[in-house]
PDB file of all heavy atoms in Angstrom:
ATOM      1  N   SER R   1       0.830  -1.220   0.001  1.00 94.00           N
ATOM      2  CA  SER R   1       0.016   0.002  -0.025  1.00 94.00           C
ATOM      3  C   SER R   1       0.867   1.273   0.011  1.00 94.00           C
ATOM      4  O   SER R   1       0.533   2.232  -0.705  1.00 94.00           O
ATOM      5  CB  SER R   1      -0.974  -0.043   1.197  1.00 94.00           C
ATOM      6  OG  SER R   1      -0.279   0.022   2.392  1.00 94.00           O
ATOM      7  N   CYS R   2       1.952   1.266   0.742  1.00 96.00           N
ATOM      8  CA  CYS R   2       2.899   2.419   0.726  1.00 96.00           C
ATOM      9  C   CYS R   2       3.542   2.606  -0.646  1.00 96.00           C
ATOM     10  O   CYS R   2       3.638   3.712  -1.133  1.00 96.00           O
ATOM     11  CB  CYS R   2       3.960   2.266   1.812  1.00 96.00           C
ATOM     12  SG  CYS R   2       3.372   2.493   3.490  1.00 96.00           S
ATOM     13  N   PHE R   3       3.911   1.515  -1.247  1.00 96.00           N
ATOM     14  CA  PHE R   3       4.553   1.564  -2.584  1.00 96.00           C
ATOM     15  C   PHE R   3       3.555   2.160  -3.597  1.00 96.00           C
ATOM     16  O   PHE R   3       3.960   3.064  -4.363  1.00 96.00           O
ATOM     17  CB  PHE R   3       5.029   0.137  -2.989  1.00 96.00           C
ATOM     18  CG  PHE R   3       5.871   0.200  -4.236  1.00 96.00           C
ATOM     19  CD1 PHE R   3       7.265   0.242  -4.113  1.00 96.00           C
ATOM     20  CD2 PHE R   3       5.323   0.155  -5.494  1.00 96.00           C
ATOM     21  CE1 PHE R   3       8.043   0.295  -5.245  1.00 96.00           C
ATOM     22  CE2 PHE R   3       6.126   0.200  -6.635  1.00 96.00           C
ATOM     23  CZ  PHE R   3       7.483   0.285  -6.517  1.00 96.00           C
ATOM     24  N   LYS R   4       2.335   1.619  -3.620  1.00 96.00           N
ATOM     25  CA  LYS R   4       1.364   2.139  -4.535  1.00 96.00           C
ATOM     26  C   LYS R   4       1.083   3.602  -4.307  1.00 96.00           C
ATOM     27  O   LYS R   4       0.905   4.345  -5.305  1.00 96.00           O
ATOM     28  CB  LYS R   4       0.120   1.268  -4.508  1.00 96.00           C
ATOM     29  CG  LYS R   4      -0.867   1.631  -5.585  1.00 96.00           C
ATOM     30  CD  LYS R   4      -1.958   0.623  -5.712  1.00 96.00           C
ATOM     31  CE  LYS R   4      -2.770   0.909  -6.975  1.00 96.00           C
ATOM     32  NZ  LYS R   4      -3.645  -0.174  -7.323  1.00 96.00           N
ATOM     33  N   LYS R   5       0.920   3.965  -3.089  1.00 96.00           N
ATOM     34  CA  LYS R   5       0.634   5.379  -2.754  1.00 96.00           C
ATOM     35  C   LYS R   5       1.769   6.276  -3.259  1.00 96.00           C
ATOM     36  O   LYS R   5       1.454   7.365  -3.802  1.00 96.00           O
ATOM     37  CB  LYS R   5       0.486   5.551  -1.238  1.00 96.00           C
ATOM     38  CG  LYS R   5       0.115   6.916  -0.792  1.00 96.00           C
ATOM     39  CD  LYS R   5      -0.014   6.991   0.703  1.00 96.00           C
ATOM     40  CE  LYS R   5      -0.359   8.377   1.133  1.00 96.00           C
ATOM     41  NZ  LYS R   5      -0.511   8.439   2.609  1.00 96.00           N
ATOM     42  N   ASN R   6       2.967   5.882  -3.129  1.00 96.00           N
ATOM     43  CA  ASN R   6       4.104   6.758  -3.463  1.00 96.00           C
ATOM     44  C   ASN R   6       4.528   6.597  -4.997  1.00 96.00           C
ATOM     45  O   ASN R   6       4.923   7.589  -5.596  1.00 96.00           O
ATOM     46  CB  ASN R   6       5.342   6.439  -2.615  1.00 96.00           C
ATOM     47  CG  ASN R   6       5.140   6.928  -1.194  1.00 96.00           C
ATOM     48  OD1 ASN R   6       4.861   8.062  -0.957  1.00 96.00           O
ATOM     49  ND2 ASN R   6       5.249   6.020  -0.241  1.00 96.00           N
ATOM     50  N   ALA R   7       4.385   5.454  -5.518  1.00 95.00           N
ATOM     51  CA  ALA R   7       4.805   5.211  -6.949  1.00 95.00           C
ATOM     52  C   ALA R   7       3.662   5.336  -7.930  1.00 95.00           C
ATOM     53  O   ALA R   7       3.902   5.470  -9.105  1.00 95.00           O
ATOM     54  CB  ALA R   7       5.478   3.866  -7.057  1.00 95.00           C
ATOM     55  N   GLY R   8       2.432   5.204  -7.426  1.00 96.00           N
ATOM     56  CA  GLY R   8       1.290   5.283  -8.320  1.00 96.00           C
ATOM     57  C   GLY R   8       1.042   3.987  -9.098  1.00 96.00           C
ATOM     58  O   GLY R   8       0.212   3.950  -9.997  1.00 96.00           O
ATOM     59  N   ILE R   9       1.772   2.953  -8.737  1.00 96.00           N
ATOM     60  CA  ILE R   9       1.638   1.624  -9.432  1.00 96.00           C
ATOM     61  C   ILE R   9       1.874   0.579  -8.374  1.00 96.00           C
ATOM     62  O   ILE R   9       2.745   0.772  -7.460  1.00 96.00           O
ATOM     63  CB  ILE R   9       2.600   1.530 -10.626  1.00 96.00           C
ATOM     64  CG1 ILE R   9       2.395   0.262 -11.390  1.00 96.00           C
ATOM     65  CG2 ILE R   9       3.983   1.674 -10.230  1.00 96.00           C
ATOM     66  CD1 ILE R   9       3.186   0.149 -12.676  1.00 96.00           C
ATOM     67  N   GLY R  10       1.215  -0.523  -8.481  1.00 95.00           N
ATOM     68  CA  GLY R  10       1.443  -1.656  -7.530  1.00 95.00           C
ATOM     69  C   GLY R  10       2.830  -2.218  -7.724  1.00 95.00           C
ATOM     70  O   GLY R  10       3.432  -2.197  -8.770  1.00 95.00           O
ATOM     71  N   PHE R  11       3.352  -2.792  -6.628  1.00 95.00           N
ATOM     72  CA  PHE R  11       4.725  -3.329  -6.670  1.00 95.00           C
ATOM     73  C   PHE R  11       4.863  -4.436  -7.671  1.00 95.00           C
ATOM     74  O   PHE R  11       5.852  -4.450  -8.406  1.00 95.00           O
ATOM     75  CB  PHE R  11       5.131  -3.849  -5.264  1.00 95.00           C
ATOM     76  CG  PHE R  11       6.572  -4.428  -5.272  1.00 95.00           C
ATOM     77  CD1 PHE R  11       7.627  -3.557  -5.385  1.00 95.00           C
ATOM     78  CD2 PHE R  11       6.722  -5.778  -5.203  1.00 95.00           C
ATOM     79  CE1 PHE R  11       8.906  -4.141  -5.407  1.00 95.00           C
ATOM     80  CE2 PHE R  11       7.999  -6.319  -5.253  1.00 95.00           C
ATOM     81  CZ  PHE R  11       9.077  -5.492  -5.363  1.00 95.00           C
ATOM     82  N   ASN R  12       3.970  -5.382  -7.737  1.00 93.00           N
ATOM     83  CA  ASN R  12       4.073  -6.481  -8.711  1.00 93.00           C
ATOM     84  C   ASN R  12       4.055  -5.946 -10.156  1.00 93.00           C
ATOM     85  O   ASN R  12       4.831  -6.447 -11.004  1.00 93.00           O
ATOM     86  CB  ASN R  12       2.927  -7.488  -8.520  1.00 93.00           C
ATOM     87  CG  ASN R  12       3.121  -8.260  -7.235  1.00 93.00           C
ATOM     88  OD1 ASN R  12       4.273  -8.452  -6.784  1.00 93.00           O
ATOM     89  ND2 ASN R  12       2.055  -8.742  -6.659  1.00 93.00           N
ATOM     90  N   ASP R  13       3.226  -4.956 -10.419  1.00 94.00           N
ATOM     91  CA  ASP R  13       3.224  -4.405 -11.775  1.00 94.00           C
ATOM     92  C   ASP R  13       4.525  -3.662 -12.067  1.00 94.00           C
ATOM     93  O   ASP R  13       5.060  -3.754 -13.182  1.00 94.00           O
ATOM     94  CB  ASP R  13       2.041  -3.375 -11.930  1.00 94.00           C
ATOM     95  CG  ASP R  13       0.682  -4.110 -11.967  1.00 94.00           C
ATOM     96  OD1 ASP R  13       0.660  -5.312 -12.384  1.00 94.00           O
ATOM     97  OD2 ASP R  13      -0.322  -3.443 -11.627  1.00 94.00           O
ATOM     98  N   TYR R  14       5.054  -2.930 -11.053  1.00 95.00           N
ATOM     99  CA  TYR R  14       6.333  -2.264 -11.228  1.00 95.00           C
ATOM    100  C   TYR R  14       7.426  -3.270 -11.482  1.00 95.00           C
ATOM    101  O   TYR R  14       8.237  -3.074 -12.397  1.00 95.00           O
ATOM    102  CB  TYR R  14       6.640  -1.439  -9.978  1.00 95.00           C
ATOM    103  CG  TYR R  14       8.068  -0.889  -9.997  1.00 95.00           C
ATOM    104  CD1 TYR R  14       8.326   0.322 -10.671  1.00 95.00           C
ATOM    105  CD2 TYR R  14       9.090  -1.511  -9.377  1.00 95.00           C
ATOM    106  CE1 TYR R  14       9.577   0.821 -10.745  1.00 95.00           C
ATOM    107  CE2 TYR R  14      10.399  -0.995  -9.409  1.00 95.00           C
ATOM    108  CZ  TYR R  14      10.634   0.183 -10.088  1.00 95.00           C
ATOM    109  OH  TYR R  14      11.916   0.676 -10.149  1.00 95.00           O
ATOM    110  N   LEU R  15       7.452  -4.333 -10.733  1.00 95.00           N
ATOM    111  CA  LEU R  15       8.529  -5.320 -10.821  1.00 95.00           C
ATOM    112  C   LEU R  15       8.414  -5.993 -12.220  1.00 95.00           C
ATOM    113  O   LEU R  15       9.428  -6.185 -12.891  1.00 95.00           O
ATOM    114  CB  LEU R  15       8.419  -6.405  -9.798  1.00 95.00           C
ATOM    115  CG  LEU R  15       9.455  -7.523  -9.785  1.00 95.00           C
ATOM    116  CD1 LEU R  15      10.825  -6.932  -9.645  1.00 95.00           C
ATOM    117  CD2 LEU R  15       9.150  -8.499  -8.652  1.00 95.00           C
ATOM    118  N   ARG R  16       7.214  -6.339 -12.722  1.00 96.00           N
ATOM    119  CA  ARG R  16       7.037  -6.943 -14.001  1.00 96.00           C
ATOM    120  C   ARG R  16       7.557  -5.953 -15.118  1.00 96.00           C
ATOM    121  O   ARG R  16       8.290  -6.359 -16.013  1.00 96.00           O
ATOM    122  CB  ARG R  16       5.606  -7.321 -14.304  1.00 96.00           C
ATOM    123  CG  ARG R  16       5.437  -8.069 -15.593  1.00 96.00           C
ATOM    124  CD  ARG R  16       3.998  -8.479 -15.895  1.00 96.00           C
ATOM    125  NE  ARG R  16       3.247  -7.330 -16.328  1.00 96.00           N
ATOM    126  CZ  ARG R  16       2.289  -6.738 -15.670  1.00 96.00           C
ATOM    127  NH1 ARG R  16       1.894  -7.248 -14.552  1.00 96.00           N
ATOM    128  NH2 ARG R  16       1.672  -5.677 -16.159  1.00 96.00           N
ATOM    129  N   GLN R  17       7.183  -4.691 -15.001  1.00 96.00           N
ATOM    130  CA  GLN R  17       7.609  -3.709 -16.017  1.00 96.00           C
ATOM    131  C   GLN R  17       9.143  -3.556 -16.017  1.00 96.00           C
ATOM    132  O   GLN R  17       9.767  -3.474 -17.061  1.00 96.00           O
ATOM    133  CB  GLN R  17       6.951  -2.372 -15.767  1.00 96.00           C
ATOM    134  CG  GLN R  17       5.497  -2.390 -16.151  1.00 96.00           C
ATOM    135  CD  GLN R  17       4.812  -0.999 -15.895  1.00 96.00           C
ATOM    136  OE1 GLN R  17       5.446  -0.049 -15.482  1.00 96.00           O
ATOM    137  NE2 GLN R  17       3.531  -0.933 -16.206  1.00 96.00           N
ATOM    138  N   TYR R  18       9.716  -3.547 -14.806  1.00 97.00           N
ATOM    139  CA  TYR R  18      11.177  -3.419 -14.718  1.00 97.00           C
ATOM    140  C   TYR R  18      11.848  -4.634 -15.356  1.00 97.00           C
ATOM    141  O   TYR R  18      12.797  -4.489 -16.126  1.00 97.00           O
ATOM    142  CB  TYR R  18      11.558  -3.288 -13.208  1.00 97.00           C
ATOM    143  CG  TYR R  18      13.071  -3.268 -13.037  1.00 97.00           C
ATOM    144  CD1 TYR R  18      13.759  -2.085 -13.344  1.00 97.00           C
ATOM    145  CD2 TYR R  18      13.751  -4.388 -12.648  1.00 97.00           C
ATOM    146  CE1 TYR R  18      15.156  -2.048 -13.186  1.00 97.00           C
ATOM    147  CE2 TYR R  18      15.125  -4.346 -12.479  1.00 97.00           C
ATOM    148  CZ  TYR R  18      15.853  -3.163 -12.749  1.00 97.00           C
ATOM    149  OH  TYR R  18      17.222  -3.098 -12.578  1.00 97.00           O
ATOM    150  N   ARG R  19      11.385  -5.819 -15.026  1.00 98.00           N
ATOM    151  CA  ARG R  19      11.960  -7.051 -15.592  1.00 98.00           C
ATOM    152  C   ARG R  19      11.815  -7.043 -17.110  1.00 98.00           C
ATOM    153  O   ARG R  19      12.758  -7.492 -17.837  1.00 98.00           O
ATOM    154  CB  ARG R  19      11.244  -8.277 -15.055  1.00 98.00           C
ATOM    155  CG  ARG R  19      11.620  -8.583 -13.610  1.00 98.00           C
ATOM    156  CD  ARG R  19      10.800  -9.738 -13.099  1.00 98.00           C
ATOM    157  NE  ARG R  19      11.349 -10.202 -11.829  1.00 98.00           N
ATOM    158  CZ  ARG R  19      10.757 -11.157 -11.068  1.00 98.00           C
ATOM    159  NH1 ARG R  19       9.657 -11.734 -11.508  1.00 98.00           N
ATOM    160  NH2 ARG R  19      11.345 -11.564  -9.989  1.00 98.00           N
ATOM    161  N   MET R  20      10.716  -6.580 -17.645  1.00 98.00           N
ATOM    162  CA  MET R  20      10.502  -6.572 -19.095  1.00 98.00           C
ATOM    163  C   MET R  20      11.395  -5.525 -19.791  1.00 98.00           C
ATOM    164  O   MET R  20      11.901  -5.756 -20.884  1.00 98.00           O
ATOM    165  CB  MET R  20       9.035  -6.311 -19.462  1.00 98.00           C
ATOM    166  CG  MET R  20       8.083  -7.435 -19.006  1.00 98.00           C
ATOM    167  SD  MET R  20       8.576  -9.066 -19.643  1.00 98.00           S
ATOM    168  CE  MET R  20       8.729  -9.953 -18.125  1.00 98.00           C
ATOM    169  N   THR R  21      11.700  -4.438 -19.070  1.00 97.00           N
ATOM    170  CA  THR R  21      12.586  -3.451 -19.638  1.00 97.00           C
ATOM    171  C   THR R  21      13.995  -4.063 -19.757  1.00 97.00           C
ATOM    172  O   THR R  21      14.666  -3.902 -20.786  1.00 97.00           O
ATOM    173  CB  THR R  21      12.661  -2.212 -18.717  1.00 97.00           C
ATOM    174  OG1 THR R  21      11.314  -1.622 -18.721  1.00 97.00           O
ATOM    175  CG2 THR R  21      13.655  -1.181 -19.271  1.00 97.00           C
ATOM    176  N   ILE R  22      14.434  -4.748 -18.749  1.00 98.00           N
ATOM    177  CA  ILE R  22      15.744  -5.430 -18.786  1.00 98.00           C
ATOM    178  C   ILE R  22      15.705  -6.529 -19.821  1.00 98.00           C
ATOM    179  O   ILE R  22      16.688  -6.662 -20.581  1.00 98.00           O
ATOM    180  CB  ILE R  22      16.098  -6.006 -17.396  1.00 98.00           C
ATOM    181  CG1 ILE R  22      16.158  -4.930 -16.338  1.00 98.00           C
ATOM    182  CG2 ILE R  22      17.414  -6.775 -17.440  1.00 98.00           C
ATOM    183  CD1 ILE R  22      17.140  -3.802 -16.578  1.00 98.00           C
ATOM    184  N   ALA R  23      14.659  -7.252 -19.934  1.00 98.00           N
ATOM    185  CA  ALA R  23      14.545  -8.322 -20.925  1.00 98.00           C
ATOM    186  C   ALA R  23      14.653  -7.739 -22.355  1.00 98.00           C
ATOM    187  O   ALA R  23      15.333  -8.315 -23.216  1.00 98.00           O
ATOM    188  CB  ALA R  23      13.258  -9.102 -20.766  1.00 98.00           C
ATOM    189  N   GLN R  24      13.992  -6.631 -22.604  1.00 97.00           N
ATOM    190  CA  GLN R  24      14.066  -5.986 -23.874  1.00 97.00           C
ATOM    191  C   GLN R  24      15.502  -5.617 -24.214  1.00 97.00           C
ATOM    192  O   GLN R  24      15.992  -5.913 -25.370  1.00 97.00           O
ATOM    193  CB  GLN R  24      13.244  -4.697 -23.919  1.00 97.00           C
ATOM    194  CG  GLN R  24      11.750  -4.882 -23.952  1.00 97.00           C
ATOM    195  CD  GLN R  24      11.047  -3.620 -23.850  1.00 97.00           C
ATOM    196  OE1 GLN R  24      11.076  -2.925 -22.787  1.00 97.00           O
ATOM    197  NE2 GLN R  24      10.405  -3.203 -24.941  1.00 97.00           N
ATOM    198  N   GLN R  25      16.241  -5.083 -23.293  1.00 97.00           N
ATOM    199  CA  GLN R  25      17.631  -4.683 -23.478  1.00 97.00           C
ATOM    200  C   GLN R  25      18.501  -5.934 -23.799  1.00 97.00           C
ATOM    201  O   GLN R  25      19.334  -5.909 -24.646  1.00 97.00           O
ATOM    202  CB  GLN R  25      18.159  -3.955 -22.272  1.00 97.00           C
ATOM    203  CG  GLN R  25      17.544  -2.608 -22.041  1.00 97.00           C
ATOM    204  CD  GLN R  25      17.943  -2.028 -20.720  1.00 97.00           C
ATOM    205  OE1 GLN R  25      18.585  -2.595 -19.870  1.00 97.00           O
ATOM    206  NE2 GLN R  25      17.482  -0.771 -20.488  1.00 97.00           N
ATOM    207  N   LEU R  26      18.264  -7.016 -23.044  1.00 97.00           N
ATOM    208  CA  LEU R  26      19.023  -8.239 -23.261  1.00 97.00           C
ATOM    209  C   LEU R  26      18.738  -8.844 -24.619  1.00 97.00           C
ATOM    210  O   LEU R  26      19.626  -9.317 -25.317  1.00 97.00           O
ATOM    211  CB  LEU R  26      18.741  -9.296 -22.171  1.00 97.00           C
ATOM    212  CG  LEU R  26      19.300  -8.900 -20.777  1.00 97.00           C
ATOM    213  CD1 LEU R  26      18.694  -9.811 -19.704  1.00 97.00           C
ATOM    214  CD2 LEU R  26      20.846  -9.006 -20.786  1.00 97.00           C
ATOM    215  N   ILE R  27      17.491  -8.858 -25.042  1.00 97.00           N
ATOM    216  CA  ILE R  27      17.098  -9.434 -26.311  1.00 97.00           C
ATOM    217  C   ILE R  27      17.708  -8.602 -27.451  1.00 97.00           C
ATOM    218  O   ILE R  27      18.253  -9.199 -28.405  1.00 97.00           O
ATOM    219  CB  ILE R  27      15.541  -9.472 -26.467  1.00 97.00           C
ATOM    220  CG1 ILE R  27      14.995 -10.535 -25.490  1.00 97.00           C
ATOM    221  CG2 ILE R  27      15.153  -9.764 -27.918  1.00 97.00           C
ATOM    222  CD1 ILE R  27      13.447 -10.506 -25.367  1.00 97.00           C
ATOM    223  N   ARG R  28      17.714  -7.317 -27.301  1.00 96.00           N
ATOM    224  CA  ARG R  28      18.312  -6.450 -28.364  1.00 96.00           C
ATOM    225  C   ARG R  28      19.801  -6.467 -28.421  1.00 96.00           C
ATOM    226  O   ARG R  28      20.404  -6.350 -29.533  1.00 96.00           O
ATOM    227  CB  ARG R  28      17.771  -4.982 -28.162  1.00 96.00           C
ATOM    228  CG  ARG R  28      16.371  -4.755 -28.593  1.00 96.00           C
ATOM    229  CD  ARG R  28      16.067  -3.269 -28.683  1.00 96.00           C
ATOM    230  NE  ARG R  28      16.570  -2.467 -27.547  1.00 96.00           N
ATOM    231  CZ  ARG R  28      15.745  -2.091 -26.537  1.00 96.00           C
ATOM    232  NH1 ARG R  28      14.507  -2.343 -26.525  1.00 96.00           N
ATOM    233  NH2 ARG R  28      16.289  -1.370 -25.552  1.00 96.00           N
ATOM    234  N   SER R  29      20.452  -6.615 -27.318  1.00 95.00           N
ATOM    235  CA  SER R  29      21.877  -6.400 -27.273  1.00 95.00           C
ATOM    236  C   SER R  29      22.734  -7.652 -27.058  1.00 95.00           C
ATOM    237  O   SER R  29      23.980  -7.559 -27.019  1.00 95.00           O
ATOM    238  CB  SER R  29      22.215  -5.425 -26.201  1.00 95.00           C
ATOM    239  OG  SER R  29      21.929  -5.878 -24.899  1.00 95.00           O
ATOM    240  N   THR R  30      22.080  -8.799 -26.912  1.00 95.00           N
ATOM    241  CA  THR R  30      22.884 -10.022 -26.739  1.00 95.00           C
ATOM    242  C   THR R  30      22.353 -11.142 -27.630  1.00 95.00           C
ATOM    243  O   THR R  30      21.333 -11.003 -28.259  1.00 95.00           O
ATOM    244  CB  THR R  30      22.787 -10.526 -25.264  1.00 95.00           C
ATOM    245  OG1 THR R  30      21.459 -10.961 -25.002  1.00 95.00           O
ATOM    246  CG2 THR R  30      23.201  -9.475 -24.224  1.00 95.00           C
ATOM    247  N   ASP R  31      23.073 -12.231 -27.620  1.00 94.00           N
ATOM    248  CA  ASP R  31      22.650 -13.413 -28.403  1.00 94.00           C
ATOM    249  C   ASP R  31      22.115 -14.527 -27.439  1.00 94.00           C
ATOM    250  O   ASP R  31      22.075 -15.658 -27.866  1.00 94.00           O
ATOM    251  CB  ASP R  31      23.824 -13.972 -29.260  1.00 94.00           C
ATOM    252  CG  ASP R  31      24.134 -13.064 -30.409  1.00 94.00           C
ATOM    253  OD1 ASP R  31      23.203 -12.393 -30.918  1.00 94.00           O
ATOM    254  OD2 ASP R  31      25.297 -12.955 -30.784  1.00 94.00           O
ATOM    255  N   TYR R  32      21.782 -14.173 -26.243  1.00 96.00           N
ATOM    256  CA  TYR R  32      21.241 -15.123 -25.298  1.00 96.00           C
ATOM    257  C   TYR R  32      19.947 -15.702 -25.842  1.00 96.00           C
ATOM    258  O   TYR R  32      19.169 -15.033 -26.473  1.00 96.00           O
ATOM    259  CB  TYR R  32      20.967 -14.507 -23.934  1.00 96.00           C
ATOM    260  CG  TYR R  32      22.227 -14.059 -23.180  1.00 96.00           C
ATOM    261  CD1 TYR R  32      22.246 -12.828 -22.581  1.00 96.00           C
ATOM    262  CD2 TYR R  32      23.327 -14.870 -23.084  1.00 96.00           C
ATOM    263  CE1 TYR R  32      23.352 -12.369 -21.858  1.00 96.00           C
ATOM    264  CE2 TYR R  32      24.471 -14.443 -22.382  1.00 96.00           C
ATOM    265  CZ  TYR R  32      24.472 -13.169 -21.773  1.00 96.00           C
ATOM    266  OH  TYR R  32      25.529 -12.781 -21.102  1.00 96.00           O
ATOM    267  N   SER R  33      19.715 -16.989 -25.490  1.00 96.00           N
ATOM    268  CA  SER R  33      18.423 -17.617 -25.867  1.00 96.00           C
ATOM    269  C   SER R  33      17.336 -16.936 -24.982  1.00 96.00           C
ATOM    270  O   SER R  33      17.631 -16.347 -23.923  1.00 96.00           O
ATOM    271  CB  SER R  33      18.475 -19.119 -25.532  1.00 96.00           C
ATOM    272  OG  SER R  33      18.484 -19.329 -24.145  1.00 96.00           O
ATOM    273  N   LEU R  34      16.119 -17.062 -25.410  1.00 97.00           N
ATOM    274  CA  LEU R  34      15.009 -16.491 -24.688  1.00 97.00           C
ATOM    275  C   LEU R  34      14.845 -17.150 -23.345  1.00 97.00           C
ATOM    276  O   LEU R  34      14.456 -16.490 -22.360  1.00 97.00           O
ATOM    277  CB  LEU R  34      13.727 -16.514 -25.514  1.00 97.00           C
ATOM    278  CG  LEU R  34      13.745 -15.691 -26.744  1.00 97.00           C
ATOM    279  CD1 LEU R  34      12.478 -15.862 -27.584  1.00 97.00           C
ATOM    280  CD2 LEU R  34      13.964 -14.222 -26.489  1.00 97.00           C
ATOM    281  N   ASP R  35      15.148 -18.416 -23.246  1.00 97.00           N
ATOM    282  CA  ASP R  35      15.136 -19.124 -21.941  1.00 97.00           C
ATOM    283  C   ASP R  35      16.132 -18.536 -20.986  1.00 97.00           C
ATOM    284  O   ASP R  35      15.864 -18.365 -19.784  1.00 97.00           O
ATOM    285  CB  ASP R  35      15.347 -20.596 -22.146  1.00 97.00           C
ATOM    286  CG  ASP R  35      14.215 -21.365 -22.755  1.00 97.00           C
ATOM    287  OD1 ASP R  35      13.144 -20.752 -22.984  1.00 97.00           O
ATOM    288  OD2 ASP R  35      14.389 -22.542 -23.089  1.00 97.00           O
ATOM    289  N   ARG R  36      17.263 -18.216 -21.486  1.00 98.00           N
ATOM    290  CA  ARG R  36      18.339 -17.605 -20.697  1.00 98.00           C
ATOM    291  C   ARG R  36      17.943 -16.195 -20.235  1.00 98.00           C
ATOM    292  O   ARG R  36      18.128 -15.811 -19.119  1.00 98.00           O
ATOM    293  CB  ARG R  36      19.685 -17.562 -21.464  1.00 98.00           C
ATOM    294  CG  ARG R  36      20.825 -16.909 -20.700  1.00 98.00           C
ATOM    295  CD  ARG R  36      21.278 -17.765 -19.529  1.00 98.00           C
ATOM    296  NE  ARG R  36      22.428 -17.142 -18.937  1.00 98.00           N
ATOM    297  CZ  ARG R  36      22.497 -16.818 -17.636  1.00 98.00           C
ATOM    298  NH1 ARG R  36      21.525 -17.153 -16.796  1.00 98.00           N
ATOM    299  NH2 ARG R  36      23.567 -16.248 -17.143  1.00 98.00           N
ATOM    300  N   VAL R  37      17.382 -15.467 -21.166  1.00 98.00           N
ATOM    301  CA  VAL R  37      16.896 -14.074 -20.806  1.00 98.00           C
ATOM    302  C   VAL R  37      15.847 -14.189 -19.724  1.00 98.00           C
ATOM    303  O   VAL R  37      15.891 -13.409 -18.732  1.00 98.00           O
ATOM    304  CB  VAL R  37      16.349 -13.377 -22.022  1.00 98.00           C
ATOM    305  CG1 VAL R  37      15.632 -12.046 -21.651  1.00 98.00           C
ATOM    306  CG2 VAL R  37      17.408 -13.052 -23.009  1.00 98.00           C
ATOM    307  N   ALA R  38      14.902 -15.132 -19.879  1.00 98.00           N
ATOM    308  CA  ALA R  38      13.914 -15.286 -18.814  1.00 98.00           C
ATOM    309  C   ALA R  38      14.505 -15.561 -17.459  1.00 98.00           C
ATOM    310  O   ALA R  38      14.123 -14.954 -16.459  1.00 98.00           O
ATOM    311  CB  ALA R  38      12.946 -16.459 -19.224  1.00 98.00           C
ATOM    312  N   GLU R  39      15.504 -16.428 -17.463  1.00 98.00           N
ATOM    313  CA  GLU R  39      16.183 -16.778 -16.182  1.00 98.00           C
ATOM    314  C   GLU R  39      16.894 -15.554 -15.606  1.00 98.00           C
ATOM    315  O   GLU R  39      16.834 -15.286 -14.432  1.00 98.00           O
ATOM    316  CB  GLU R  39      17.141 -17.870 -16.474  1.00 98.00           C
ATOM    317  CG  GLU R  39      17.897 -18.365 -15.255  1.00 98.00           C
ATOM    318  CD  GLU R  39      18.932 -19.460 -15.598  1.00 98.00           C
ATOM    319  OE1 GLU R  39      18.492 -20.419 -16.325  1.00 98.00           O
ATOM    320  OE2 GLU R  39      20.081 -19.347 -15.208  1.00 98.00           O
TER     321      GLU R  39
END
């Protein structure tokens, strides 16, 4: 509740968006398999 009040987004949604941002960078800039990126 504190996180959502201050960030305007729920923690789980924030974490998923953050992970997807990193995943996008890894997919674009490396030759890692998608399974490896997921991990």
Side-chain angles (χ1 to χ4, degrees):
S1 64
C2 286
F3 189 93
K4 187 167 188 169
K5 182 179 178 182
N6 289 305
I9 185 173
F11 178 72
N12 289 333
D13 291 334
Y14 172 82
L15 181 60
R16 187 182 74 249
Q17 288 180 0
Y18 177 77
R19 287 174 168 176
M20 294 305 124
T21 299
I22 301 302
Q24 287 175 292
Q25 293 171 355
L26 288 169
I27 290 169
R28 285 194 312 260
S29 64
T30 68
D31 289 328
Y32 293 135
S33 70
L34 295 176
D35 289 353
R36 177 71 176 125
V37 170
E39 182 182 311

